[in-house]
Amino acid sequence: MNKNHLQDIKNLTLPELTALLIDQGKEKFRAKQIIKWIYARGVTSFDEMTDLSKVLREDLKQRFVISDWSPEVVETSSDGTRKYLYRLSDGETVESVRIPMEAGKDTLCISTQVGCAMQCQFCLTGTFGLTRHLEASEIVNQVCASLKDGPLQNIVLMGMGEPLHNLDNVIKALEILYLAEGCAFGPRRVTLSTSGLVPQMYELAQRVKVGLAVSLNATTDELRDQLMPINQKYPLVELMKACREIPLEPRKRITFEYILIGGVNDSRTDAKRLVKLLHGLRAKVNLIPYNEHPGSAFKSPSRRTVEEFQSYLLDRDIVAIKRASKGQDISAACGQLKGKLEKRDE
Ligand code: SAH
Ligand code: SF4
């Protein structure tokens, strides 16, 4: 049978699947049964769904496939970080990274696009441009596949791509990951990182619950315009206004990622401006020493610079965490994912 015309059931949210079933005269509660089979029990064929009638299983087979991913390559770093590379149906590739935080508590960093259109000057992913958006199922499958390799405490949308440039598919993927009968990730265990697409930040907050992280990386428009061209469209005042206006969940903070680039944004004056920008916000700052990669002129700061920058923030009661960049030896650290390079010709 030619399966090409069949839809991937993993692209459907619960309301979508329910509506489809009702349309066909089936009972509404079947949707949750199906979700449970796919995401909680990990079955890959409708025949295994033994609490569904044979007729329903046949109907489902006529319409849908259940996609099931296994990594083409898994690399393990000396610090335990694991990078998974997946081949997509059109030959493109996408990467996810499993980062061990504490014992038994891994965070999975997933991608939302093949490449990225935002052109941040310091980012390897950005240098290749955007190849395409990932579908909801392709975002969800990174999680499903990784779960086969061990439990996950948290998910961060911080891999390849700008999640808010692929807003509809990202929201769908979150809704699927949150399903109580399925993967059951609570929104408090998921964080989305954006380079600062302001209108989409508001829309996201209205449509779905998720922790928000903003890649700030500079404290003046002059520098941010250069490092992150998106700033020319949505300058710092607008970005910070959105950060203040978007409601936060109780006891939650908004995360600001700040890459420290040697001699570029790591001075005491930068730290001072950062404190000012964050004034009055329930914020947490992740300081990420720049990861050098071939072809980039930027340099990592010295350890001392990082410590001084962090102390300056801590002394002013700003929660500032130094993010040791894990997985550097396997190019799995922030901004090092490049998926697209590994196209078929290897
Ligand atoms: N596009 C989204 C999410 C993916 S990028 C965003 O920009 O937020 C994830 C993080 O990696 C961002 O905070 C980005 O600033 C950071 N990053 C990119 N290149 C890096 C590098 N070479 N070293 C350290 N961090 C980097
Ligand atoms: Fe895209 Fe984020 Fe890299 Fe900027 S830092 S190019 S937004 S992936």
Side-chain angles (χ1 to χ4, degrees), residues 63-121:
R63 277 193 91 129
F64 297 111
V65 286
I66 309 171
S67 56
D68 179 39
W69 283 18
S70 298
E72 186 169 295
V73 184
V74 182
E75 284 179 273
T76 305
S77 156
S78 52
D79 63 24
T81 300
R82 282 161 87 72
K83 182 167 78 170
Y84 309 93
L85 181 125
Y86 302 98
R87 178 80 50 189
L88 308 177
S89 46
D90 60 357
E92 298 295 340
T93 58
V94 76
E95 290 168 322
S96 318
V97 181
R98 174 188 288 268
I99 310 151
M101 302 303 274
E102 321 158 29
K105 300 213 163 154
D106 291 358
T107 292
L108 187 72
C109 175
I110 60 175
S111 298
T112 55
Q113 297 178 313
V114 181
C116 182
M118 297 299 131
Q119 298 188 311
C120 301
Q121 294 302 295

Side-chain angles (χ1 to χ4, degrees), residues 109-110 112-113 116 118 120-126 157-164 192-197 213-217 228 256-261 286 288-293 296 298 325 333-337:
C109 175
I110 60 175
T112 55
Q113 297 178 313
C116 182
M118 297 299 131
C120 301
Q121 294 302 295
F122 46 77
C123 176
L124 187 62
T125 305
L157 282 69
M158 291 186 189
M160 268 194 288
E162 167 50 56
L164 299 189
L192 178 154
S193 173
T194 180
S195 55
L197 277 66
V214 173
S215 297
L216 198 56
N217 300 338
M228 305 178 72
F256 289 92
E257 292 155 283
Y258 194 92
I259 313 180
L260 286 161
I261 309 177
N286 278 349
I288 315 166
Y290 181 67
N291 290 310
E292 295 179 16
H293 50 78
S296 162
F298 296 119
S325 263
C334 290
Q336 292 186 337
L337 299 188

Side-chain angles (χ1 to χ4, degrees), residues 207-308:
R207 290 174 59 186
V208 76
K209 276 190 192 171
V210 65
L212 187 65
V214 173
S215 297
L216 198 56
N217 300 338
T219 55
T220 63
D221 280 323
E222 195 192 354
L223 179 62
R224 202 164 186 275
D225 278 352
Q226 278 177 37
L227 293 180
M228 305 178 72
I230 190 68
N231 194 71
Q232 297 164 20
K233 207 164 173 189
Y234 308 115
L236 279 169
V237 263
E238 284 181 37
L239 178 60
M240 297 314 294
K241 183 164 173 268
C243 293
R244 276 165 217 287
E245 287 180 353
I246 290 170
L248 270 175
E249 289 285 299
R251 298 184 309 281
K252 267 282 190 185
R253 293 171 190 274
I254 177 165
T255 303
F256 289 92
E257 292 155 283
Y258 194 92
I259 313 180
L260 286 161
I261 309 177
V264 172
N265 65 355
D266 59 351
S267 70
R268 200 182 162 86
T269 316
D270 288 298
K272 201 170 170 177
R273 280 191 297 250
L274 182 55
V275 171
K276 223 168 154 185
L277 278 176
L278 300 182
H279 183 76
L281 266 168
R282 233 161 58 223
K284 165 172 100 182
V285 179
N286 278 349
L287 296 172
I288 315 166
Y290 181 67
N291 290 310
E292 295 179 16
H293 50 78
S296 162
F298 296 119
K299 296 275 169 250
S300 305
S302 70
R303 183 179 292 220
R304 192 161 152 218
T305 308
V306 178
E307 268 156 24
E308 283 175 2

Side-chain angles (χ1 to χ4, degrees), residues 106-112 139-140 143 152-158 163 170-179 183-193 204 208-213 248-249 252-255 284:
D106 291 358
T107 292
L108 187 72
C109 175
I110 60 175
S111 298
T112 55
I139 299 170
V140 168
V143 177
L152 296 169
Q153 182 70 16
N154 295 91
I155 299 174
V156 293
L157 282 69
M158 291 186 189
V170 163
I171 290 176
K172 255 189 175 199
L174 292 176
E175 286 169 353
I176 295 167
L177 292 171
Y178 293 164
L179 290 172
C183 298
F185 279 95
R188 300 183 74 94
R189 287 162 65 197
V190 184
T191 303
L192 178 154
S193 173
L204 176 81
V208 76
K209 276 190 192 171
V210 65
L212 187 65
L248 270 175
E249 289 285 299
K252 267 282 190 185
R253 293 171 190 274
I254 177 165
T255 303
K284 165 172 100 182

